Amino acid sequence: MERKIISTTSFSLNLDKIPESAIKEFPRKDDTTGKSVNLTVLNFNTEDEFGKSASVQLSRTKAERDEGKKSVYVGNGWHNPTKATADDTPF
């Protein structure tokens, strides 16, 4: 089965809201060190008062969610679903 894009999410990220503890370092194949942050994008079916339909937060572990740890919101943006064409239907 061919892999197809079904939607995109464009967002702005406020780097000042990302705590150092959320930034993970990892080794690269070229012996340099990379940095990453795990994010979750929430896509909504309507826009907010600013015209945004997506919200970006730091990802939480199941344990953090179970403990009731609050989400840290770090950005927002737009969810852009694509429309299937007649060529995309299998019948």
Side-chain angles (χ1 to χ4, degrees), residues 27-70:
R28 293 185 174 144
K29 290 180 181 179
D30 65 0
D31 292 327
T32 62
T33 299
K35 293 182 179 182
S36 68
V37 176
N38 292 329
L39 302 172
T40 300
V41 177
L42 307 173
N43 293 309
F44 298 96
N45 60 345
T46 60
E47 294 179 349
D48 65 12
E49 64 269 26
F50 306 106
K52 310 292 184 176
S53 59
S55 178
V56 184
Q57 64 186 30
L58 295 178
S59 296
R60 296 179 296 159
T61 64
K62 182 173 182 339
E64 290 170 332
R65 291 189 305 272
D66 291 346
E67 291 169 6
K69 182 177 177 182
K70 292 191 176 215

Side-chain angles (χ1 to χ4, degrees), residues 79-90:
H79 177 241
N80 309 299
T82 60
K83 298 198 177 359
T85 64
D87 293 336
D88 293 333
T89 55

